[in-house]
Amino acid sequence: MIPFGYQRAENVDGAVATVSRNPNAAFLGGGTNLVDHLKLGVASPELLVDVTGLPLDRIEPLPDGGVRIGAGVRNSDLAADPTIRSRYPVLSQALLSGASGQLRNLATTGGNLLQRTRCGYFQDVSTPCNKRAPGSGCSAVDGYARYHAILGASQQCVAVHPSDMAVAMTALDAVALVQGPDGERRIPLVDFHRLPGDAPQRDTVLAHGELITAVDLPPLPAARRSRYRKVRDRASYAFALVSVAALVDVGGDIGGGTVRDARIALGGIAHKPWRATRAEEVLRGAPATEETFRRAADAELATAQPLPDNAFKVPLARNTLVSVLRDLTRISEKDR
Ligand SMILES: Cc1cc2nc3c(=O)[nH]c(=O)nc-3n(C[C@H](O)[C@H](O)[C@H](O)COP(=O)(O)OP(=O)(O)OC[C@H]3O[C@@H](n4cnc5c(N)ncnc54)[C@H](O)[C@@H]3O)c2cc1C
């Protein structure tokens, strides 16, 4: 590991000023991703500014009925919070499907959003990777790509975003609050992460030195009926092959309901949490039937471009989405 400096941030403005004026400085959250990258040689900051002591560790109600989650809230605390469990179960389920208890005790909301891809080539500094070393090439495009993207990829990068939490937050229309040297801005999570294009080294729209201070969840009463399902190679301690975060609001007669609203995001299939807008369009106003769910899933996956190793992800994503929609609408019928 290359030597680096360490500072504890005393306030938000000071942390932002320190990191933004030093291109080789980075914020440190729980360290569960960044410290691994220091050891692997994937990242080599000269200064770490530890933001875990800042007063960003609260989960608070918002005047509009939504909830504000501080960027320093630990993944375990967020998953166990009674408000999150009852009003946004998809978020609690997503968090509990990720990593392990020990990791979740350390991992923070801000750090989770900014964790980097688990692409094996990105983590192996002996191989070319445009995300780690721009212009060096993508080893995965013609390499082993079982875990890689089927939607929105480019010739430059076929990596996927690994976060479960971010997929749930994307479905929930969450908004990230970000503090930079020029003030605060609010970034809808759906616009927060990027597709790779010609600049796969940039995971998000954040500028260097911008600190995530919180994530706001809108009130969304329909989110009480929401679900996260993650399909992976083993039952724990594994990243998603495919995941689905969904909430569905069905109105009308039992057994013959109409979808009033649907919000869906897919994980494990793209460089960013994938908001399934095409599926949502098919669902809204349509009868809540198996046939509608299949049409919605097909519409979303129509533009999928799998690689030879991961063609299985297309039917896997389709079947997982249909299954989650079926389960959610059964719940709706039972509860009416
Ligand atoms: C073995 C293992 C298995 C895992 N399995 C899963 C899984 O199944 N699902 C899943 O979703 N995740 C999984 N993870 C990843 C884990 O969730 C992340 O490592 C964790 O969420 C990162 O949070 P952190 O606070 O430790 O971030 P750090 O490692 O401290 O930081 C990560 C990045 O965020 C930046 N950063 C941190 N806080 C802020 C902030 N407030 N504002 C701006 N930038 C900030 C840092 O500079 C760094 O670039 C796994 C990790 C490991 C090691």
Side-chain angles (χ1 to χ4, degrees):
M1 192 152 31
I2 298 164
F4 58 88
Y6 171 88
Q7 276 179 24
R8 277 193 158 273
E10 294 190 351
N11 52 61
V12 166
D13 288 347
V16 169
T18 304
V19 173
S20 51
R21 69 172 167 251
N22 181 347
N24 294 317
F27 299 117
L28 178 68
T32 60
N33 191 223
L34 184 51
V35 173
D36 279 356
H37 287 168
L38 264 64
K39 292 187 218 163
L40 293 168
V42 169
S44 49
E46 64 186 36
L47 175 65
L48 293 183
V49 177
D50 185 341
V51 294
T52 55
L54 296 175
L56 302 173
D57 57 353
R58 283 187 285 277
I59 302 169
E60 300 167 311
L62 288 167
D64 69 356
V67 175
R68 175 161 295 172
I69 302 160
V73 172
R74 307 286 177 168
N75 287 182
S76 300
D77 294 332
L78 186 56
D81 182 80
T83 303
I84 300 299
R85 283 167 56 98
S86 61
R87 290 184 46 199
Y88 307 95
V90 63
L91 179 54
S92 180
Q93 291 165 15
L95 284 157
L96 292 174
S97 77
S100 66
Q102 291 94 331
L103 284 161
R104 294 194 295 268
N105 286 343
L106 270 181
T108 62
T109 303
N112 190 313
L113 288 177
L114 292 180
Q115 63 175 294
R116 307 212 67 195
T117 185
R118 309 301 287 203
C119 173
Y121 301 106
F122 173 75
Q123 299 195 101
D124 177 354
V125 295
S126 70
T127 60
C129 168
N130 286 322
K131 184 178 273 300
R132 176 172 32 75
S136 61
C138 174
S139 301
V141 169
D142 298 313
Y144 181 64
R146 173 173 167 76
Y147 296 97
H148 293 69
I150 58 170
L151 284 165
S154 72
Q155 275 304 305
Q156 303 291 313
C157 181
V158 292
V160 297
H161 197 269
S163 170
D164 293 295
M165 182 194 80
V167 179
M169 287 181 168
T170 298
L172 289 170
D173 284 320
V175 176
L177 275 64
V178 171
Q179 185 76 35
D182 301 324
E184 188 181 75
R185 58 181 182 133
R186 297 172 58 86
I187 309 172
L189 223 62
V190 71
D191 301 324
F192 184 86
H193 296 94
R194 296 179 66 255
L195 289 177
D198 291 334
Q201 70 276 17
R202 291 188 58 217
D203 293 346
T204 70
V205 298
L206 285 191
H208 177 75
E210 284 190 305
L211 178 74
I212 303 170
T213 55
V215 175
D216 283 357
L217 301 180
L220 272 186
R224 285 186 185 273
R225 289 199 194 104
S226 58
R227 184 159 295 191
Y228 189 74
R229 185 164 304 158
K230 175 175 177 178
V231 183
R232 46 190 156 168
D233 277 333
R234 53 170 193 260
S236 80
Y237 216 49
F239 289 87
L241 289 165
V242 162
S243 70
V244 173
L247 63 101
V248 184
D249 182 17
V250 178
D253 295 335
I254 293 176
T258 299
V259 178
R260 282 192 290 234
D261 192 15
R263 297 175 197 219
I264 300 166
L266 306 177
I269 58 157
H271 194 259
K272 60 183 285 185
W274 187 266
R275 184 70 186 247
T277 49
R278 290 191 178 92
E280 292 175 6
E281 275 168 29
V282 171
L283 288 166
R284 284 197 190 103
T289 61
E290 180 92 9
E291 194 269 329
T292 303
F293 302 157
R294 292 202 175 279
R295 268 197 301 118
D298 286 342
E300 196 58 54
L301 293 159
T303 55
Q305 290 188 306
L307 295 157
D309 290 333
N310 67 10
F312 73 95
K313 282 193 178 187
V314 179
L316 186 62
R318 181 189 296 119
N319 292 341
T320 309
L321 176 53
V322 169
S323 160
V324 168
L325 293 172
R326 196 190 295 132
D327 288 356
L328 275 171
T329 49
R330 265 193 211 132
I331 293 170
S332 303
E333 288 171 12
K334 184 164 63 74
D335 285 356
R336 275 202 302 267

